[in-house]
Amino acid sequence: MKVVMVAPFARRPKATTSARVLPLARALAERGHSVTVLVPPYDNPAESGAQLTHGGAKVVSLRVNRRLPEQSVLQGVQQPRLALSIVRRVRALAPDVVHVFKPKAVSGLAQTLLWYLPVGRAALVLDTDDWEGTGGWNDYERYPWWQKLICDWQEGWGLRHAGAFTAASRALEDRIHRLGAQPDRVQYVPNGLDARDYPGWQDGDGARGRERLGISPGPLLLLYTRFFEFTPERVWETLRRVRAARPDVRLLVVGAGKFGQERRLPELAERAGQPDSVIVAGWQEPEALPDLLLAGDVALFPADDNLANRAKCSTKVLELLWLRRPAVADRVGQYGEYVEDGATGLLSEPNDPDSMARSALRLLDDGALASRLAATGRERVQARYGWDRLVDGVERAYRAASVSVT
């Protein structure tokens, strides 16, 4: 097949294009498909006009105004222009399938245009990897009210107007079914992992990571996050309960929140008279991550039980399981798919610091259990979540969508 993929935004700093679109494009190209990825880099103008090859797939970044900030009101003008540019490119490429990622912003506009102005007999497929509107990312972002209304409309319309769908979580799969899609037109395609996207990670050294940050020996919990899934207060309550039983346990935070949420944890520790209990590494370049992630003894994945968390599909969980990190995750949505309780990690009850603290202590106190879960976690990631396997679902979606236009 000749496939055109429409990415939602630039390769960096957001993750969907680099962590989902490009690995799928490469896996499809390795199956013999001709694949072109169109990238609208309005959120990273430095990528404007760039072209590259990713494992046999051609990646083309559209040209954008390099001087226009992502949050500028003029983006309201640039995004329709980018959507029109995508449609023109699709027409020139004359594909068999157009696979649009995210039913919002530029890619959502492109989906609308392609639905009403179809390109030949090209099948239209939509991928959804988050709950975008109210109850999801609308609640996290500081969009103006009118932008939230547009996002709600785009998502609702987009999930009803495609020949087939790929969904990154069971919650999103169920949502599309409830909106009326036929079962064979919805494919569950969770996020996966390919070792080629993680050069040097196999050589990571936790001792080196601790030395870099000046962390002395002792039990260390790890929080690898962007702080959208929970409040800092929730994490502090978990750490406080762990330290009540094991006062020598500390927390290493790798990552940063969009609104500076990582600064709240040291404040809470200081207020409690335990300033040394939290170490914040903050946002890190990819090459620095493996040493720091391997520095932790047990990884924590708290997630409030809400629509956004039930729908999302965190690659961070896969990355840490692949690195053989024992993990404790809340029993919410996809977290419970990746972390199998008692097999690849331990599950705790959502919104319950006591539950997460008990599970973390169990792994800290039982090294044999932690090692067994970590080893099985890596095996399951490699066996079930390689993109070379997950691409089967994408091909099924393409076949179903193609039938709908014949």
Side-chain angles (χ1 to χ4, degrees), residues 167-174 187-192 301 303 309-315 317-318 321 327-348 376-385 390:
S169 67
R170 296 295 186 186
L172 292 170
E173 179 188 33
D174 180 66
Q187 294 294 325
Y188 167 60
V189 183
N191 280 325
F301 287 101
N309 287 335
R310 287 177 223 145
K312 76 173 300 176
C313 188
S314 175
T315 57
V317 180
L318 285 181
L321 292 178
V328 178
D330 277 342
R331 196 186 303 272
V332 176
Q334 195 67 29
Y335 295 91
E337 292 262 342
Y338 284 156
V339 178
E340 300 172 61
D341 195 32
T344 64
L346 297 179
L347 291 176
S348 53
T376 305
R378 182 183 177 90
E379 292 171 3
R380 295 284 173 86
V381 170
Q382 293 175 324
R384 298 182 183 178
Y385 297 106
L390 296 174

Side-chain angles (χ1 to χ4, degrees), residues 105-125:
V106 175
S107 50
L109 287 169
Q111 179 191 0
T112 304
L113 291 172
L114 290 165
W115 180 262
Y116 287 113
L117 303 170
V119 177
R121 301 193 68 80
L124 181 60
V125 178

Side-chain angles (χ1 to χ4, degrees), residues 299-374:
L300 303 182
F301 287 101
D304 295 340
D305 190 7
N306 56 37
L307 287 177
N309 287 335
R310 287 177 223 145
K312 76 173 300 176
C313 188
S314 175
T315 57
K316 289 180 172 60
V317 180
L318 285 181
E319 289 169 355
L320 287 180
L321 292 178
W322 182 66
L323 284 174
R324 297 190 181 93
R325 291 299 84 196
V328 178
D330 277 342
R331 196 186 303 272
V332 176
Q334 195 67 29
Y335 295 91
E337 292 262 342
Y338 284 156
V339 178
E340 300 172 61
D341 195 32
T344 64
L346 297 179
L347 291 176
S348 53
E349 297 308 312
N351 309 321
D352 186 348
D354 283 327
S355 178
M356 180 160 279
R358 286 194 299 272
S359 294
L361 284 166
R362 183 181 173 194
L363 292 179
L364 288 172
D365 293 338
D366 190 340
L369 173 64
S371 296
R372 177 175 63 79
L373 297 181

Side-chain angles (χ1 to χ4, degrees), residues 1 52 71 76-77 115 142 144 152 178 196 209 217-218 237 257 267 288 355 371 388:
M1 284 185 177
L52 57 93
Q71 301 303 322
V77 176
W115 180 262
R142 296 173 181 175
D152 267 336
R178 289 175 181 273
R196 290 174 292 181
E237 285 303 312
E267 291 173 359
S355 178
S371 296
D388 57 337

